[in-house]
Amino acid sequence: MEYIVSARKYRPMTFDAVIGQKALVTTLKNAVSSGKLAHAYLFCGPRGVGKTTCARIFAKVINCEHPTPEGEACNECESCQAFNEQRSYNIFELDAASNNGVEHIKALMDQTRIPPQVGKYKVFIIDEVHMLSTQAFNAFLKTLEEPPAHVIFILATTEKHKILPTIISRCQIYDFERMTVPNMVDHLKMVAAKEGVSYEEEALNVIAEKADGGMRDALSIFDQAVSFCQGNITYERVIEDLNVLDADNYFNIVDLALENKVPEIMVLLNDVLNKGFDGGHLIGGLATHVRNVLMAKDSQTLPLLEASQRQRERYQAQAGKCEYRFLYRALKLLNDCDISYRQSPNKRLLVELTLIQVAQITQEEETPVAGRSPKQLKTLFKHLIRQALQQKAAPQVAAAKPVAHQEEKPVSKEEPVKRPAVKLSNLGMTFGSLRNTSLSEKEEKEADTIDSKEHQTFTNEQLMMQWVGMCNRMPQQMVGIASRMKNMEPRILDFPKVEVVVDNEMLLEEMKDIQKRIRSTLALTLHNSDIELNLRLAKSDEVKKILTRREQLEEMMKDNPALKKLSTMLHLELV
């Protein structure tokens, strides 16, 4: 006996046997019952969802001499029997994928002129219609617009967007839906019962998920699984045959991530890769798993979870342990990894870094993973400043306490309270060590008060060093002006007067807006509150090519080879 694959053997022959397209089938049956038939139909949808099958059933029903009240064919008249025996002359099928030229369409159009000998209509089914060439579409357009009364066209396509708008506007459009996992599982159960195959529901669920919404694909995979499992379809055998990663791996990764167990996750990843699975496959599957856990957290989104009852219970149990913040952040990280995976030169490292980040989501924000962030350094700096101020002010407060024979002098509200001077060197740090942090505007405005009693001398070299350090510490929104200021050379004219020559007027205006903040910062870092800052526009003979810091370093290395050798030996970098 000839073997017939399940996709052909169990292909629906009636509208009632069609799976997962209830609304569409009802519309077609009502059109047949009422006799309100269009001259052209367009069936759209993904592969394996029943477009060609419904077109054949529809063609059979509209030519049936005695259709049932429900809109089905009687299977007894001459037209139905001719269709069942594949000898009907009223139904023509054309595969546009291999017959997409003008000559093929013209030959088909010639057939439309001859009325049917048996039945009411000649039905032309054109499959994969989007494959027709532009010339073929144009040759087909006139007949489609004004076809003979006895002609009905049924066009089927998986890529609706490739069809000319003039064709679409002349058709009734039916969009077929993807098959849901429960619908496919139910159909596979029916097929397994008829074939005498035992099964585990989890195994059928894996087959349905692998089919990705196509019933034909599901039946093909089912036949493959039956051959591999020898009539007893089990979950373990199916995932082995289809090379599907066991869902237990995803559950374990999420559980370990919630406990921040990075080493265990790395070991699990290594085991998965050693089994031959691709890292991108793991990331994609984990993203789907986290999405399912997210859907299981709320009863409203639970219907969106396409899984067996046992799997639903597992998803709900894990959802109870996961916070929304963890799931949202994990989905974002996994999606970013999936996008970058193909372009990454070191794919395993990308996957490992992503899993490490997922495992650190639930860690306390105050606990840094390694080192201190700039934000934490800035907070630490403010804390140390405040602590030093309190220590400096304590002796003065003690000395200001009234003695028995001393007259207490009230402090006037108008008289400002002098704040003690604080040197950063007393705190065990300098601005150079904190160049990655930026002074806040409030701290810069208070600089005049902090160093009001300091009058230290400084040289042009010290001035230049602090100028560059100030530019490195400027806020992110001022990075443009900071980069241009680095190329300037402030100089001492008449100590402590400092002059800065600016080579264009626009930059000069921008610097004048922050001149007070620049002076205050220099006064603080150079320990001299008497500094006067003068900004002026460069004269024509003063304008010259401005070298960047790196260009200046390269010039110095050319003049002094020993400097280049020292930089290479110590691996020095210009920052």
Side-chain angles (χ1 to χ4, degrees), residues 65-77:
E65 298 177 4
H66 309 291
T68 64
E70 292 80 16
E72 296 280 8
C74 66
N75 284 321
E76 296 177 357
C77 63

Side-chain angles (χ1 to χ4, degrees), residues 382-448:
K382 288 182 177 180
H383 174 71
L384 291 174
I385 287 282
R386 191 180 305 111
Q387 187 178 21
L389 289 175
Q390 292 174 353
Q391 291 175 355
K392 289 284 185 178
Q396 297 181 11
V397 173
K401 290 183 179 180
V403 188
H405 63 275
Q406 202 172 20
E407 183 179 353
E408 183 176 352
K409 181 180 178 180
V411 179
S412 172
K413 292 184 179 180
E414 289 77 10
E415 182 180 351
V417 179
K418 293 184 179 181
R419 300 173 65 181
V422 177
K423 294 184 180 180
L424 292 179
S425 57
N426 295 338
L427 303 179
M429 62 182 71
T430 64
F431 275 100
S433 65
L434 297 173
R435 67 170 180 266
N436 291 329
T437 62
S438 58
L439 287 174
S440 68
E441 184 175 354
K442 180 180 179 182
E443 289 171 340
E444 291 175 353
K445 287 181 178 179
E446 292 177 350
D448 283 330

Side-chain angles (χ1 to χ4, degrees), residues 438-449 470 473-475 478 514 516-521 524:
S438 58
L439 287 174
S440 68
E441 184 175 354
K442 180 180 179 182
E443 289 171 340
E444 291 175 353
K445 287 181 178 179
E446 292 177 350
D448 283 330
T449 308
M470 175 189 67
R473 298 191 305 274
M474 291 178 73
M478 300 173 69
I514 59 172
K516 185 176 179 182
R517 297 178 64 185
I518 296 174
R519 195 215 71 83
S520 299
T521 304
L524 178 64

Side-chain angles (χ1 to χ4, degrees), residues 227-241:
S227 298
F228 182 76
C229 300
Q230 292 295 308
N232 182 22
I233 303 178
T234 62
Y235 176 77
E236 290 77 12
R237 299 281 284 171
V238 166
I239 62 174
E240 179 184 356
D241 179 36

